[in-house]
Every structure is written in structure tokens, then in C-alpha cells.
Amino acid sequence: MHILVTNDDGVLAPGLLALAQAMREIADKVTVLAPDRNWSASGHVKTLHRPLRVIEVELEDGSFAWATDGAPSDCVALAQLGFISEKIDLVVSGINPNANIGHDVTYSGTVTAAMEAAIGGIPGVAVSLDKPDNLSGPVDFSGAKRAAQRVVQWLSQQNGLPAEVILSVNVPYRPAEKFKGYMITRQGLRIYRDELVRRVDPAGRPYYWIGGQVPTAIDEPGTDYGALSAGYVSVTPIQLDLTSSRTRDWLEERQFITSLDL
Ligand code: MN
């Protein structure tokens, strides 16, 4: 099994090294191709209007990686479109040091890198760690490494994933022995506490910054956040087909089409 490892925090992020090391223990081959800077909360990007550069980088453990000035999803596209000549069997993205739950998945470069893999017909897994907000010092990725290994090992025994689906794995911040278990979940509801900060630059012009407190979430059983708060590794299958079946019914019940004049 040949695994492509990428992330959205940049090629030098400790979570990428942790994931690359975890995957090397279980895969035949691991290729690392990641952005050269932090693309967190960049969403699903396709860079079409400027060239992409790729450089060679040495990670902290002396291992080899590729870095590009493109987005996380560009990394996956580059690899799939032939920059990496050897066939890729699986894309694993992370380890993001913060959970990607609820509506986060639409912002997350970690998750959208896995989505890009699914668009190219390759199974994709996003791995995020629910690090405490007030944590100081280095992040302990050991539990998340173990969870990533277990999910990828299970996947390697399957014939891939259903089409247009990725797995978003969120890991509670604790050693693997302290996991309550693994739970299949649905997206929960994030509560964003964004606030617009207005300031004035040295030239007297106003500028705006999206600030506020870190988001919380609704603790509901069966959801990604519910699993994390109960100590489980959350595994959410996410589909790229965003069609709302419920709303198709809602529109039809209200005679949407017949009430529109041509
Ligand atoms: Mn990130």
C-alpha cells in the first residue's frame, strides 16, 4: 500500500511528521507532499491562475518530503495528476492539532485534502486531534497516531471506500489505552463565536479581523463532538454529494416547480 500524506498546517508542522511516521510503520511506501505554509481554514481550493512550485524538504527526523506553494487539495491533485509517478492507494491528511467537527469540515484544509482524493477516485482519510484549547507546550500526537493506524489498517483490508466518501477521524486528546473506543458518528453542530474586530492601520485606514473566542459545539449523542466529549474516537463518513434530500421533499411539498411562471 502506497500512502500519500499531506496536511493543511504546512510541511514543517509536528502533526505531519507524526502522521508520516505512523503511516511508515504500516504501509509499504509513504510519500509526503504538503503545503509550504499554513492553509488552515482555507476550504477546498483549486489553484488555476498561477503556477505551482514544488521543492524538496527534509523533515525533522531527516526523512524526505515534497512541499508546494499550493493548497492542501492542490497537493493531492498534483500527486494524482502525475507529479508522483507511482500509483497512490490512499490519501491521509493531518494530523490537524484541532478537531474538525460540524461545519468545520467545510472550512478545513485537512478535510478538503481528503475530499480531493475522493474526487480523484482514491480513498481519503482526514485525521484531527481534539487538543485542549489551553494546552501549552508540545502536542502529544501518540493517541492520534494510533487511531490513524487502526483506521488505515482496517481500510487496507477493505476494497477502498464507497465512491465520493471520505472518513473524517477526530481523536480525543488522551493516550490510545484511554480511548473508550471508536464510534461511527454524524456531523454535529459547531457554535462559532466569531467577532469582527475593527482597527485602524498606521495610514489611518480601517481594517477588519475575524476574532472572538474559540468555537464550542453542542454535545449531542451520535455526533462527532458527542463522541469526543465521551472519550471516543469519532469516525464520520462524509460524502461530497451535498444535495439535501429533505429539502428536495420540502420544495416539492410547497409546489416549488408548478408555482414558478416561465
Ligand atoms: Mn490546520
Side-chain angles (χ1 to χ4, degrees):
M1 184 175 47
H2 178 200
I3 298 178
L4 176 72
V5 167
T6 190
N7 76 344
D8 78 349
D9 302 308
V11 71
L12 297 179
L16 180 81
L17 181 62
L19 184 60
Q21 290 176 338
M23 294 300 103
R24 277 196 200 104
E25 289 175 15
I26 59 169
D28 304 312
K29 185 178 164 95
V30 173
T31 299
V32 178
L33 170 51
D36 63 5
R37 69 200 77 168
N38 192 339
W39 282 78
S40 294
S42 64
H44 200 162
V45 174
K46 182 174 278 190
T47 298
L48 296 177
H49 302 290
R50 63 174 176 87
L52 293 170
R53 310 279 179 182
V54 185
I55 59 166
E56 300 181 2
V57 176
E58 190 182 307
L59 300 185
E60 206 179 295
D61 65 352
S63 62
F64 179 88
W66 297 105
T68 152
D69 56 356
S73 36
D74 290 323
C75 295
V76 177
L78 278 167
Q80 284 176 330
L81 294 173
F83 177 78
I84 305 297
S85 51
E86 201 175 324
K87 180 180 169 291
I88 294 159
D89 302 305
L90 176 68
V91 173
V92 188
S93 176
I95 299 169
N96 199 66
N98 295 106
N100 277 306
I101 58 180
H103 298 328
D104 293 346
V105 301
T106 63
Y107 295 110
S108 168
T110 310
V111 175
T112 52
M115 287 179 174
E116 188 67 20
I119 288 174
I122 298 175
V125 177
V127 184
S128 311
L129 175 62
D130 189 24
K131 171 180 77 62
D133 298 328
N134 55 4
L135 182 81
S136 58
V139 180
D140 178 5
F141 287 101
S142 60
K145 286 170 76 171
R146 180 77 184 138
Q149 287 180 330
R150 299 302 294 123
V151 171
V152 167
Q153 281 172 324
W154 183 87
L155 263 183
S156 69
Q157 295 158 7
Q158 313 300 313
N159 197 10
L161 275 169
E164 292 184 48
V165 169
I166 65 155
L167 294 183
S168 176
V169 180
N170 282 282
V171 185
Y173 195 71
R174 56 178 70 187
E177 313 85 69
K178 297 275 173 64
F179 292 159
K180 287 279 172 56
Y182 290 73
M183 196 182 279
I184 304 163
T185 59
R186 60 186 166 84
Q187 282 174 255
L189 264 187
R190 262 292 193 208
I191 304 165
Y192 296 104
R193 299 186 288 176
D194 297 341
E195 281 171 27
L196 195 61
V197 178
R198 294 176 173 83
R199 290 193 182 148
V200 178
D201 75 10
R205 292 168 305 205
Y207 66 89
Y208 306 90
W209 204 298
I210 297 174
Q213 293 176 275
V214 292
T216 59
I218 294 177
D219 188 355
E220 196 183 343
T223 64
D224 41 21
Y225 187 71
L228 284 175
S229 68
Y232 288 82
V233 177
S234 162
V235 182
T236 313
I238 291 177
Q239 60 186 16
L240 275 81
D241 180 352
L242 300 176
T243 310
S244 168
S245 304
R246 267 182 301 182
T247 307
R248 285 177 61 99
D249 297 342
W250 183 89
L251 288 166
E252 275 165 20
E253 282 160 20
R254 282 160 183 75
Q255 277 85 45
F256 174 69
I257 296 300
T258 49
S259 50
L260 293 184
D261 297 322
L262 287 180

